[in-house]
Amino acid sequence: MNLFTPHAEFAKWDWYRTSVRPKSFEWDSVLLPAFIKQWPTACPREAAPNRPFAEGIEFVDLKDKRLMLLSRGGDHVKGVVQLQSTGSNAPDLKAVLDSCGLSHEPSRVDACVDWFEDLLFDTLAQVFIQYAKEKRLTISTPGDWVRGEGRTLYVGSRSSPVMVRLYEKGFEERKKGDQDAPLNWVRFEVEVKYKKAKQRQWVATLSPADCFSIGWVHGLCERIMFSAKKIPAPSNYRSPDYDRALNHLIKQYGSVLARLAEECQSPQEFMDVLLDRAS
């Protein structure tokens, strides 16, 4: 078991969802053979796709466990193919993409570090909460904090580009059916989900360890003496010309954008439709 070792080099992917645009790959000759090489026993079958896609194909192993979900097709996606793997399969999906040398744009990646140590969650949670208060970051605390069971601490907004989670992973696994999961299992996780194409392309270059170095997350890591080299987040600077163009767009097509927003089920779907239309 891994006691508290404060270093990002032990980080791993826990969620990887990315989009590959048309004409950047050949499905039959490039991507599919790479999947088969990574998961030789995988079996593809129809599945519910992620929104706003029309068709879903999941790859499952011999125990009927999902390895990857492929979503494609639909009126608003213009040939984009979305790939998603979670848990222990997330590193495998990233390995496939790297082996193919494909240009892709991650819409969400999670990087995590696990520890197994008594009272570690309580110690780290106090530091995380204090840091969040100082930086005026959003805090959320689902779980049973009275009994100290199955607790999760969210720092940062779910709609922001970067958010962190600290949670009692052992209790989560016990709830899923793994009665051998250690109850002192603590996970520190960073969720990264930028919206602009250039920012997502930048995310595609990151390692799991890099996710602990972005923006205010690096400061939090420093607070717990967690070693992570600071890297600059992608710029959100907008020139005056850009602002004027944006104002013109809203003035001319505000009603159309409002109608699209009503039709979409979430802000993420709204942004995905706009980005896909612009491609």
Side-chain angles (χ1 to χ4, degrees), residues 72-258:
R72 64 185 181 185
D75 295 334
H76 305 298
V77 298
K78 288 191 173 183
V80 169
V81 173
Q82 185 190 82
L83 309 171
Q84 176 180 301
S85 286
T86 61
S88 60
N89 299 305
D92 292 333
L93 174 56
K94 184 59 164 63
V96 168
L97 294 166
D98 289 343
S99 69
C100 295
L102 289 179
S103 174
H104 60 99
E105 299 172 12
S107 55
R108 174 184 166 183
V109 299
D110 295 2
C112 68
V113 175
D114 292 323
W115 297 292
F116 301 85
E117 187 168 337
D118 293 340
L119 302 178
L120 180 60
F121 180 88
D122 300 87
T123 301
L124 294 181
Q126 292 180 18
V127 180
F128 278 39
I129 291 172
Q130 181 60 36
Y131 182 85
K133 289 179 178 179
E134 293 174 9
K135 301 297 182 180
R136 299 184 179 276
L137 297 168
T138 302
I139 301 173
S140 179
T141 55
D144 191 340
W145 287 71
V146 175
R147 296 179 179 85
E149 299 178 355
R151 294 169 291 177
T152 299
L153 171 62
Y154 291 96
V155 178
S157 169
R158 294 305 301 265
S159 60
S160 63
V162 181
M163 182 188 70
V164 304
R165 281 183 291 271
L166 180 73
Y167 60 106
E168 295 180 296
K169 180 67 173 176
F171 282 94
E172 181 186 67
E173 292 301 308
R174 290 278 184 102
K175 190 175 181 180
K176 291 179 179 179
D178 181 4
Q179 298 307 310
D180 295 325
L183 294 181
N184 64 353
W185 183 356
V186 178
R187 173 166 289 185
F188 175 21
E189 192 165 69
V190 181
E191 180 179 311
V192 182
K193 48 185 187 302
Y194 283 94
K195 296 179 178 180
K196 296 181 180 179
K198 288 186 177 180
Q199 293 173 325
R200 290 179 172 182
Q201 291 164 7
W202 174 77
V203 173
T205 68
L206 300 180
S207 69
D210 291 335
C211 294
F212 292 86
S213 303
I214 302 173
W216 59 264
V217 179
H218 179 262
L220 175 60
C221 289
E222 285 188 326
R223 190 67 61 89
I224 61 172
M225 295 181 291
F226 184 90
S227 179
K229 184 178 179 181
K230 187 173 184 179
I231 59 175
S235 175
N236 290 319
Y237 170 75
R238 300 188 308 190
S239 68
D241 288 341
Y242 177 89
D243 283 327
R244 282 193 291 269
L246 182 60
N247 291 335
H248 179 73
L249 171 67
I250 295 173
K251 183 177 180 180
Q252 290 290 108
Y253 302 105
S255 59
V256 176
L257 295 174

